[in-house]
Amino acid sequence: MKKQVLALASMALLAASACNNQPSQNGSATDSPKAAKTFTANGNPIFRDAWTADPAPMVWNDTLYCYVGHDEWYEGQDTACCGKEFNITEWLCYSTTDMKTWTAHGAVLSPADYKWADTTEYGVGVAWASQVVARNGKFYYYNALKGLGEYNGYAVGVAVSDSPTGRFKDAIGKPLVCDTMTPNPFRGWWNDIDPTVLIDGEQAWLCWGGQGACFMAKLKDNMTELDGEIKMVDIPKYVEGPWLHKKDGIYYLTYASHGDPTEAIDYCTAPSMDGPWTHHGQVTGCAENSSTIHPGIIEYKGKWYLFYHNATLTLDGHEGRIGRRCICVDEMHYNEDGTIQFVNQTK
């Protein structure tokens, strides 16, 4: 989520992140780790120490980790527009073993850890929606970033760590996907954002895209190279923020969609990652007080959860808004035919 730039009128903004009260604008892999803090979630939003956006849950060794972008307030933000509403400078990590008591691990990665990435856009931070997956004894963090020089435009980077709480480091020294690689005419814009990864047996898949363009490609076993061509996926109402998961042999592609009046969450299913993808409508409606929304879906201890963001959290006297979001979670249930029951957003 990562999340986004205000696109032309018909598209909802994107950009996503999370936050704590005094984040580092230019953190790097050499920064000293912050002391972890434990707290008890009391309804939605679940994280109240910082503004957070674009949730990406991962389960590892009986622990659920939630990676988020860090939305930060800055002087003049309330009257900013055209993308300047977002100030997203790093990615944070939270973890839990019971969905009640959480640990805040602080920042685990920043755009400044990618030497080829721009750390600002319009003078503010660019750390959009991302996802972490575990494979080969390592943890791979796929990030949406703004490229510099030959990588002009938005891009997908990949960082790696030996620990789910980082610190993560750039894995390949260049984008995994950049603007010139995708079969889409919108050059220099935000079509290459919001990566999601599904490991299906021996094969890993990468899906990403914004500005109404959804892309799909295979990943090689090393998780840092594409394996074959990039394909476009034609699905209804797509805006950005895809999320892949699989249940009982059914493949799910969930995403931020054109809702009424702002982004909602829609989903499609398929019998394989090659499609065809069948649209089933909304998983949930628009987010309260936010024109963006971003799904993160995970099974944990026998229950399925939908993570998303709205903008209802007040911190330090500043109310939530488009660039100051917060993470929520609700249980998600399936019908016998594999379709998803509509999720009512709770407090």
Side-chain angles (χ1 to χ4, degrees):
M1 175 137 177
K2 287 253 267 2
K3 220 162 173 65
Q4 326 164 294
V5 186
L6 263 174
L8 310 177
S10 62
M11 294 205 182
L13 283 117
L14 287 198
S17 342
C19 56
N20 41 6
N21 293 333
Q22 293 185 352
S24 125
Q25 292 279 344
N26 294 293
S28 70
T30 59
D31 286 347
S32 298
K34 298 176 183 177
K37 298 180 180 179
T38 300
F39 61 92
T40 300
N42 183 23
N44 284 324
I46 51 177
F47 310 141
R48 303 187 184 188
D49 62 325
W51 289 294
T52 52
D54 302 331
M58 180 195 73
V59 174
W60 177 256
N61 282 352
D62 207 38
T63 298
L64 187 149
Y65 297 87
C66 187
Y67 302 88
V68 296
H70 182 179
D71 280 347
E72 299 187 56
W73 177 86
Y74 71 93
E75 190 70 43
Q77 187 182 52
D78 289 350
T79 57
C81 64
C82 305
K84 295 182 183 180
E85 305 95 324
F86 299 101
N87 182 33
I88 311 165
T89 64
E90 58 191 0
W91 292 279
L92 310 179
C93 175
Y94 297 83
S95 68
T96 183
T97 57
D98 60 7
M99 295 299 291
K100 296 177 182 178
T101 300
W102 290 83
T103 299
H105 299 279
V108 296
L109 182 66
S110 162
D113 293 312
Y114 293 94
K115 295 186 183 303
W116 52 267
D118 190 355
T119 58
T120 64
E121 171 78 352
Y122 306 116
V124 294
V126 183
W128 289 1
S130 307
Q131 185 180 353
V132 176
V133 295
R135 197 178 195 189
N136 306 325
K138 294 185 180 293
F139 300 88
Y140 296 89
Y141 209 155
Y142 298 86
N143 307 99
L145 302 138
K146 177 76 161 52
L148 288 171
E150 63 180 303
Y151 306 122
N152 180 47
Y154 288 84
V156 175
V158 56
V160 65
S161 174
D162 293 326
S163 166
T165 56
R167 185 134 183 149
F168 289 82
K169 297 182 180 180
D170 186 359
I172 56 177
K174 62 181 181 180
L176 176 61
V177 177
C178 64
D179 195 44
T180 58
M181 296 170 61
T182 44
N184 174 295
F186 299 105
R187 297 294 161 224
W189 283 80
W190 45 277
N191 49 304
D192 294 310
I193 61 169
D194 300 356
T196 179
V197 172
L198 174 66
I199 300 173
D200 184 29
E202 296 299 315
Q203 183 62 62
W205 292 83
L206 175 71
C207 179
W208 71 98
Q211 204 167 311
C214 183
F215 303 105
M216 193 93 71
K218 293 179 180 180
L219 286 170
K220 292 184 178 180
D221 291 343
N222 61 17
M223 302 298 286
T224 60
E225 295 179 87
L226 299 186
D227 187 11
E229 65 177 319
I230 296 172
K231 298 181 180 180
M232 290 191 69
V233 182
D234 185 14
I235 48 180
K237 298 184 177 182
Y238 180 85
V239 180
E240 60 191 355
W243 186 271
L244 292 170
H245 78 281
K246 181 183 178 182
K247 180 181 183 294
D248 298 334
I250 299 174
Y251 296 82
Y252 295 81
L253 176 52
T254 310
Y255 51 92
S257 61
H258 287 291
D260 183 15
T262 57
E263 286 183 358
I265 297 177
D266 276 45
Y267 79 106
C268 297
T269 62
S272 79
M273 286 297 293
D274 291 317
W277 293 96
T278 300
H279 183 238
H280 296 283
Q282 289 186 356
V283 175
T284 195
C286 305
E288 184 177 352
N289 203 35
S290 173
S291 64
T292 68
I293 194 169
H294 188 286
I297 296 171
I298 200 78
E299 183 184 17
Y300 186 54
K301 296 189 175 181
K303 294 182 178 181
W304 284 88
Y305 294 96
L306 171 67
F307 288 78
Y308 58 94
H309 66 239
N310 60 28
T312 59
L313 178 65
T314 297
L315 280 176
D316 299 331
H318 302 291
E319 295 181 349
R321 69 188 303 272
I322 179 59
R324 301 195 292 269
R325 295 159 292 181
C326 50
I327 302 302
C328 300
V329 62
D330 285 301
E331 281 192 44
M332 196 175 78
H333 301 279
Y334 296 82
N335 297 310
E336 290 187 4
D337 62 359
T339 54
I340 300 174
Q341 296 178 15
F342 187 84
V343 177
N344 291 306
Q345 298 173 46
T346 71
K347 296 185 184 299

